[in-house]
Amino acid sequence: MTQKRQAAMGFIFVTVLIDFIGFGIIIPVLPKLIEQMIHGDLSQAASYGGWLLLAYASMQFIFAPVMGGLSDRYGRRPVLLFSLFGFGIDYLFLAFAPSITWLFVGRIVAGITGASFTTASAYIADISTPEKRAQNFGLLGAAFGLGFIIGPALGGQLGVFGPRVPFIAAAVLILLNWLYGFFVLPESLPATMRRRFDWKRANPFGSLMHLRKYPAVAGLIVSLVLIYIAVHAVQSTWAYYNMKKFGWNEQWVGYSLAFVGLMIAIVQAGLIRIIIPKLGQSKSLYTGLFLYSIGMLLFGLATHGWMMFAFTVVYCLGGIAGPALQGIISSHVPPNEQGELQGALTSLMSVTSIVGPPLMTNLFAYFTRSKAPVYLPGAPFIAGSLMILVSAYLAYRNMQKYEDAPGAVSR
């Protein structure tokens, strides 16, 4: 039994790793591919890129609870394998897509089938003993970080051979993993533990409604929403911005994103455990938001490409803000409602992934087009910096108001 669990755990780790390598591998080449398809420039490509992200995130938000419910009904194995197969076919579809319309079709299909991370998490919960569960979930985080370091760097190198080559590479990796899983992956959920599929429980808007139960943290939740939207200035426009402003090719975009992934891993896996206990949650929150805001502003005002690497350090250190804010929010909620709260916050993050990309990419497109009132490619970063400042103000005001409430975190 122990050997089977270890083998299954290894497969799940590799699955998540390859998923995020596949996701990261296409980022450096997507702008050039869109440019070719629309016969336009980077400004127009950025706008299309934002809408592509919206199409994917919208389908993920709607169908992730459905796929989760199906895995509770029919087991983890068929849903996980279906998701992997869907991803692999989607990347092949994107590699040979003849027009931008077909790119949208591919992203919609990927969003519908893309429940591999959710199902992988459920699989780990099934096979883990209570004392090993946290450790095994930590491996998922490690796979995510490692995948986002390897993926963009690999994509940048493969992009030299053409913007469609990384899509083919991603498809091959994922389909090989699917084939391996088809023959070796056991089912983790016994038939006796399965439940009937219920459309009401698969409602993605249901968990969002639970946030109304927590008026004491309303301001903090709005603050978190602004952070989630603001960081899409980096996540959604990085490749377009650096190609447009500094003339980077796919390789340099890949190197830079790998460096971003490395810095995020260092902060999230190491520094957070030192800084937050030392400063406390409130000071960590304000410090992190300040660094986030400064980092984004520096990105937007950078005049040389090497500065983006230097300013990445400042920006990524701001990553202490998110965990600190979530910790403060959790402190206002009773222990028996923590699961409900975290589910609602996850849904909220999904919604911001629908709003953020088109907002930031279209902002970039507007200020880099030929008829722009002022040429300002850094507009998304500056807007993100301002959002973070507003977020800090709302968090401060909310914490001042409720600092004397039971369960509040002392400042």
Side-chain angles (χ1 to χ4, degrees), residues 64-65 75 122 126 189 196-197 237 268 323 335 369 403:
D126 293 339
L189 187 66
R196 184 175 61 86
F197 181 79
T237 68
Q268 297 295 324
R369 62 178 185 168
E403 63 179 350

Side-chain angles (χ1 to χ4, degrees), residues 22-367:
F23 180 77
I25 206 173
I26 68 172
I27 295 176
V29 297
L30 192 58
K32 292 297 183 183
L33 181 60
I34 296 174
E35 263 191 308
Q36 289 181 8
M37 287 187 163
I38 65 173
H39 305 290
D41 57 18
L42 270 175
S43 299
Q44 295 168 311
S47 182
Y48 277 96
W51 295 118
L52 280 169
L53 288 171
L54 179 145
Y56 176 80
S58 298
M59 294 300 102
Q60 276 269 286
F61 174 68
I62 294 169
F63 284 95
V66 175
M67 299 299 281
L70 289 173
S71 77
D72 286 341
R73 172 65 183 88
Y74 298 105
R76 315 298 184 206
R77 174 186 156 86
V79 174
L80 188 57
L81 292 177
F82 172 74
S83 177
L84 285 174
F85 187 76
F87 259 135
I89 296 301
D90 173 61
Y91 281 126
L92 281 178
F93 191 90
L94 295 176
F96 297 103
S99 68
I100 192 69
T101 301
W102 288 106
L103 274 188
F104 276 97
V105 173
R107 288 287 78 190
I108 289 170
V109 171
I112 293 172
T113 62
S116 56
F117 190 82
T118 302
T119 312
S121 299
Y123 195 105
I124 286 179
D126 293 339
I127 67 172
S128 300
T129 58
E131 60 272 14
K132 286 283 188 179
R133 189 164 293 162
Q135 179 181 333
N136 287 343
F137 275 121
L139 285 175
L140 281 188
F144 166 79
L146 188 60
F148 204 75
I149 293 170
I150 297 172
L154 183 59
Q157 294 298 317
L158 293 175
V160 174
F161 303 102
R164 296 177 185 265
V165 174
F167 289 89
I168 298 173
V172 170
L173 281 173
I174 291 172
L175 289 175
L176 284 175
N177 192 41
W178 167 79
L179 189 64
Y180 175 71
F182 183 83
F183 289 106
V184 305
L185 183 68
E187 178 55 63
S188 65
L189 187 66
T192 55
M193 299 292 291
R194 298 177 190 179
R195 67 172 177 86
R196 184 175 61 86
F197 181 79
D198 185 354
W199 282 106
K200 290 182 179 179
R201 294 179 68 173
N203 175 15
F205 298 97
S207 60
L208 287 175
M209 303 306 293
H210 292 306
L211 291 173
R212 295 183 301 176
K213 296 173 61 176
Y214 314 118
V217 295
L220 297 178
I221 289 172
V222 173
S223 179
L224 195 63
V225 167
L226 288 174
I227 294 172
Y228 285 156
I229 293 176
V231 296
H232 276 286
V234 177
Q235 295 174 5
S236 302
T237 68
W238 183 269
Y240 303 97
Y241 174 75
N242 286 299
M243 285 179 168
K244 184 79 172 179
K245 190 167 185 178
F246 304 118
W248 283 5
N249 59 17
E250 293 88 344
Q251 285 177 297
W252 276 105
V253 172
Y255 294 146
S256 66
L257 286 172
F259 183 68
V260 171
L262 177 63
M263 289 304 305
I264 290 174
I266 291 172
V267 172
Q268 297 295 324
L271 293 182
I272 278 177
R273 300 182 182 184
I274 301 171
I275 294 173
I276 293 181
K278 195 165 186 176
L279 293 181
Q281 290 182 334
S282 296
K283 288 183 180 178
S284 296
L285 171 61
Y286 298 136
T287 302
L289 290 177
F290 174 74
L291 291 170
Y292 256 157
S293 182
I294 292 297
M296 284 194 190
L297 185 61
L298 291 173
F299 283 152
L301 300 178
T303 55
H304 296 87
W306 65 264
M307 293 180 176
M308 299 301 288
F309 287 87
F311 298 157
T312 292
V313 177
V314 179
Y315 170 77
C316 289
L317 284 172
I320 64 174
L325 182 54
Q326 286 185 309
I328 294 170
I329 291 173
S330 296
S331 70
H332 287 276
V333 177
N336 62 349
E337 296 181 10
Q338 288 293 329
E340 192 173 60
L341 171 68
Q342 295 306 319
L345 292 179
T346 300
S347 295
L348 203 62
M349 188 174 181
S350 298
V351 172
T352 61
S353 295
I354 297 171
V355 176
L359 173 64
M360 294 303 180
T361 55
N362 280 287
L363 197 59
F364 172 82
Y366 179 78
F367 282 101

